[in-house]
Amino acid sequence: MVVLTDLRQEPPCTGRLTLQTAAIAPDSTVIRCLDWDRDRFDIEFELQNGTTYNSFLIRGEKTALIDTSHSKFRTLYLEELRSLVDLAQIDYLIVNHTEPDHSGLISDLLDLAPQITVVGSKVAIQFLQNQIHRPFATRTVKSGDRLDLGGGHDLEFVSAPNLHWPDTMLTYDSGTQVLYTCDVFGLHYCDDTLYDETPSLLEADFRLYYDCLMGPNARSVLAALKRIEPLTVDQIATGHGPLLRHHLTQWREHYRSWSQAQAQAEPFVALFYVGEYGHSDRIVHSLGQGLLKTGTAVELVDLLNTDVHAVRELTMTAAGLVLGMPPQTAPDLEPILSTILAAAHPKQSIGLFETGGGQDEPIFPLRNRFQDLGLKTAFEPILIKSAPTEATDKLCEEAGTDLGQWVNRDGPLSHRSQKPNSALNVGLDQALGRLSTGLYIVTAKKGAVSSAMLASWVIQASAQPPGIAVAVSKDRAIESLLHGGDTFVLNVLEEGHYQHLMKHFLKRFPPGGDRFEGIATYAAENGSPILAEALAYLECTATHRLEAGDHWVIYATARVGRVAKPDGLTAVHHRKASNHY
Ligand SMILES: Cc1cc2nc3c(=O)[nH]c(=O)nc-3n(C[C@H](O)[C@H](O)[C@H](O)COP(=O)(O)O)c2cc1C
């Protein structure tokens, strides 16, 4: 459930918020923002024990702050920080990752202390520059780079892409042997006990957090664990929950064994790219998002930071391949390309993209070579010639989903097949299939991106306020437009007058394809398309998202509704089995 930007405003906070400040090592202080009553994370992740957002101050000859906090702590956090340090004396803000619960106060801090240099991975800095619309000093770092603060605090950065977010890195202070990990090794547990003294209290939340945030990227977790192996770590200063010191071996072993089990069990797609060129990072992130929606694991491989043996091994074992070609100005990749071509095999599917390409496109001959080897093309080559937009992101996400669906073609999310549901006994399958519904087209538009799907799993779910619920398969294109706060239209189809609409919306659209071409629509007040031929429509706002097996149940309140034909009847949908809609 990784999302690059989930920057929607939090609802006004009514829960108990407190602060805890403590010295954790020489010249090193933690500011823990304790959010005692928070009961949701990423909308769908239910919390039992609140959470904390931990920020750290290191004072060598230079002063560095590591991560900030959630915007709901604006006043409390900034007052506390001021009491600890003159803000004009802070030299660096190290951003281990940019999710709003840690970066929510960066803009405020830069207003108060414009001299600060923001240090982060390339993706993190790009992301912040898109969010904070004014210049600020930056320093981009990658794995192995160092920042000596003086006074014995020599910081080393370890990149950990995809450990929940693509921009994640870890910061290691070799002077104090503290490893600052932000989300990694975290847990949502709010308590004013600073350290992990009683693991039995924490284990369930540690596991839940791993499963929700880290498990989907188990291979990336293993790669990050390998990178931190040579470091002598005295404590892990996480961004959520207690800091880990007393049972370090146990916590690390959990991450290793859970990730290993997960990585062995699941098919994965190897995504080869060159991070330093063009907009590959962003493209790779969107493709990865689309793959993850189908439950497919992703292994990211930056071709400038790997060796041919690793590339061969991954190519041979992956269920699918994505290859991002850099512009021709980039270093020669011929040896690596030859390795991939030699190890690829016909049981795989391939997708290619190219960033900053010139007039001649070597990507098409390359696609042909993979086709000649018998690989199935999951999506047509994506050519990125100018800065990516929201529409590019969506196109790449849908391309990733297409590849993921191919990899999982017999998996639980595939509703395209009509095979019997082997997980159910016949009676249950058929009884479930007797649940009948109406037929609807859900339409949504967010910025420049629009989408639609035929839906039958729709019910009225509340009378006051008027509310509905729609079950949306996790791999649907429209799914990413149905997060909390997003708006959409539920178009009700009319009995005897829906076949052409049903046929149209069931077409297999290419990634980024216009789903409304040839369909008469007009804009709802909320901006989403209303089908001119709908019997009725409701304008809805998604407020809750519940994970329900292979679907998300989207609960939405309806604000506006209209019936176009007062005498018309809703199209009714009867089935005989539960293994298809
Ligand atoms: C009768 C019928 C009802 C459907 N109802 C739903 C539904 O309620 N939820 C859902 O996620 N998909 C439903 N689908 C599947 C999608 O409408 C369909 O697969 C979709 O057009 C594919 O879109 P995609 O490219 O986003 O995967 C239904 C399909 C049919 C044939």
Side-chain angles (χ1 to χ4, degrees):
M1 59 183 170
V2 177
V3 275
L4 183 63
T5 50
D6 188 3
L7 289 175
R8 292 177 293 274
Q9 286 293 308
E10 290 296 321
C13 170
T14 48
R16 181 157 73 107
L17 306 179
T18 61
L19 280 193
Q20 182 190 32
T21 301
I24 58 165
D27 320 316
S28 311
T29 308
V30 62
I31 308 170
R32 298 180 75 224
C33 296
L34 279 68
D35 188 348
W36 295 89
D37 303 317
R38 184 162 180 179
D39 61 358
R40 297 242 144 231
F41 222 82
D42 283 359
I43 308 174
E44 56 272 356
F45 176 2
E46 243 183 86
L47 306 184
Q48 307 289 338
N49 297 311
T51 193
T52 77
Y53 319 99
N54 306 334
S55 164
F56 303 90
L57 190 64
I58 306 178
R59 277 172 283 198
E61 285 153 25
K62 301 264 184 200
T63 299
L65 188 65
I66 301 186
D67 297 319
T68 63
S69 184
H70 196 291
S71 56
K72 64 169 85 164
F73 279 90
R74 180 170 286 115
T75 309
L76 279 174
Y77 175 84
L78 291 172
E79 269 174 16
E80 183 68 12
L81 190 62
R82 270 206 190 91
S83 75
L84 293 170
V85 63
D86 174 0
L87 299 190
Q89 300 302 317
I90 300 178
D91 299 287
Y92 301 104
L93 169 65
I94 295 165
V95 178
N96 276 331
H97 105 135
T98 53
E99 207 171 4
D101 52 334
H102 306 282
S103 66
L105 296 175
I106 294 183
S107 188
D108 301 77
L109 189 64
L110 291 176
D111 281 345
L112 297 166
Q115 82 289 347
I116 289 179
T117 298
V118 179
V119 181
S121 66
K122 186 178 163 206
V123 189
I125 298 291
Q126 278 172 352
F127 180 78
L128 289 174
Q129 282 167 336
N130 286 337
Q131 297 307 316
I132 301 171
H133 300 288
R134 56 183 193 285
F136 54 93
T138 62
R139 179 159 166 182
T140 301
V141 290
K142 53 183 178 348
S143 241
D145 285 355
R146 303 184 91 100
L147 174 64
D148 192 351
L149 299 178
H153 300 282
D154 188 9
L155 305 183
E156 180 180 339
F157 303 101
V158 180
S159 80
N162 271 356
L163 267 66
H164 188 38
W165 271 34
D167 59 9
T168 304
M169 66 175 195
L170 318 177
T171 301
Y172 177 65
D173 184 344
S174 56
T176 55
Q177 299 181 337
V178 178
L179 181 65
Y180 298 91
T181 57
C182 202
D183 272 1
V184 186
F185 291 109
L187 63 152
H188 291 308
Y189 188 87
C190 184
D191 189 331
D192 42 22
T193 308
L194 183 58
Y195 285 108
D196 55 337
E197 272 137 34
T198 318
S200 56
L201 286 179
L202 310 175
E203 284 209 322
D205 286 311
F206 187 79
R207 176 78 208 223
L208 177 67
Y209 183 100
Y210 171 90
D211 285 345
C212 293
L213 276 70
M214 302 291 146
N217 292 298
R219 286 168 186 276
S220 303
V221 174
L222 291 172
L225 290 178
K226 212 167 182 176
R227 265 178 237 128
I228 61 170
E229 225 165 59
L231 308 177
T232 308
V233 178
D234 174 62
Q235 58 179 301
I236 294 180
T238 67
H240 293 295
L243 313 194
L244 309 179
R245 174 174 234 168
H246 300 293
H247 304 276
L248 274 186
T249 314
Q250 172 184 333
W251 303 124
R252 282 171 77 153
E253 180 50 27
H254 278 330
Y255 260 45
R256 198 194 57 73
S257 59
W258 294 338
S259 302
Q260 243 167 20
Q262 186 109 349
Q264 273 160 12
E266 60 193 14
F268 73 97
V269 167
L271 232 157
F272 299 112
Y273 73 112
V274 180
E276 278 187 27
Y277 290 87
H279 300 278
S280 321
D281 290 317
R282 182 160 165 183
I283 303 305
V284 160
H285 171 66
S286 303
L287 284 160
Q289 281 283 109
L291 282 158
L292 291 173
K293 275 172 64 164
T294 66
T296 309
V298 179
E299 182 72 23
L300 291 186
V301 189
D302 188 334
L303 292 175
L304 295 187
N305 289 315
T306 187
D307 61 64
V308 286
H309 302 293
V311 170
R312 183 179 302 111
E313 167 71 19
L314 284 168
T315 308
M316 284 188 319
T317 47
L321 307 172
V322 174
L323 184 53
M325 299 290 292
Q328 282 143 44
T329 46
D332 181 20
L333 293 176
E334 197 47 45
I336 289 218
L337 279 183
S338 306
T339 306
I340 296 174
L341 281 161
H345 53 79
K347 287 197 179 141
Q348 292 168 324
S349 180
I350 175 99
L352 295 146
F353 73 89
E354 182 176 299
T355 53
Q359 289 314 305
D360 52 331
E361 274 126 15
I363 201 169
F364 288 101
L366 187 62
R367 191 262 320 259
N368 296 346
R369 286 170 76 184
F370 280 110
Q371 280 181 340
D372 291 345
L373 289 169
L375 280 82
K376 155 114 180 32
T377 306
F379 51 84
E380 281 306 304
I382 301 171
L383 303 172
I384 308 293
K385 302 221 181 227
S386 48
T389 60
E390 284 174 338
T392 324
D393 294 340
K394 190 78 181 93
L395 183 154
C396 293
E397 184 193 293
E398 290 181 20
T401 299
D402 281 357
L403 176 49
Q405 283 171 339
W406 187 87
V407 165
N408 287 290
R409 52 203 178 282
D410 297 321
L413 290 179
S414 171
H415 281 263
R416 294 198 164 88
S417 82
Q418 303 279 309
K419 280 193 237 151
N421 189 342
S422 54
L424 298 185
N425 68 46
V426 177
L428 178 53
D429 188 27
Q430 293 182 348
L432 254 181
R434 290 302 194 280
L435 298 183
S436 297
T437 53
L439 282 172
Y440 310 88
I441 306 290
V442 178
T443 56
K445 184 165 192 298
K446 197 173 176 184
V449 176
S450 61
S451 197
M453 73 158 190
L454 172 70
S456 56
W457 293 8
V458 178
I459 53 160
Q460 178 169 348
S462 163
Q464 202 47 256
I468 59 149
V470 188
V472 179
S473 178
K474 287 181 174 172
D475 60 347
R476 286 281 162 265
I478 202 171
E479 172 278 337
S480 48
L481 305 183
L482 300 176
H483 284 267
D486 288 345
T487 56
F488 64 92
V489 166
L490 182 72
N491 295 274
V492 182
L493 296 184
E494 185 187 358
E495 190 63 65
H497 190 68
Y498 66 84
Q499 292 293 357
H500 58 298
L501 290 171
M502 182 163 167
K503 192 168 162 211
H504 173 86
F505 286 103
L506 282 175
K507 273 195 303 219
R508 191 149 177 96
F509 293 94
D514 177 2
R515 295 183 179 223
F516 296 98
E517 202 184 330
I519 298 292
T521 62
Y522 59 101
E525 284 173 30
N526 69 19
S528 294
I530 298 170
L531 303 188
E533 294 184 75
L535 169 65
Y537 70 86
L538 294 165
E539 292 198 29
C540 305
T541 303
T543 62
H544 292 76
R545 220 168 119 104
L546 170 77
E547 184 164 19
D550 50 11
H551 283 63
W552 294 113
V553 174
I554 312 289
Y555 172 76
T557 50
R559 217 176 42 82
V560 176
R562 233 156 245 131
V563 177
K565 301 183 191 170
D567 299 331
L569 291 178
T570 304
V572 179
H573 184 55
H574 295 291
R575 314 170 297 165
K576 292 235 165 102
S578 69
N579 66 319
H580 59 92
Y581 292 105

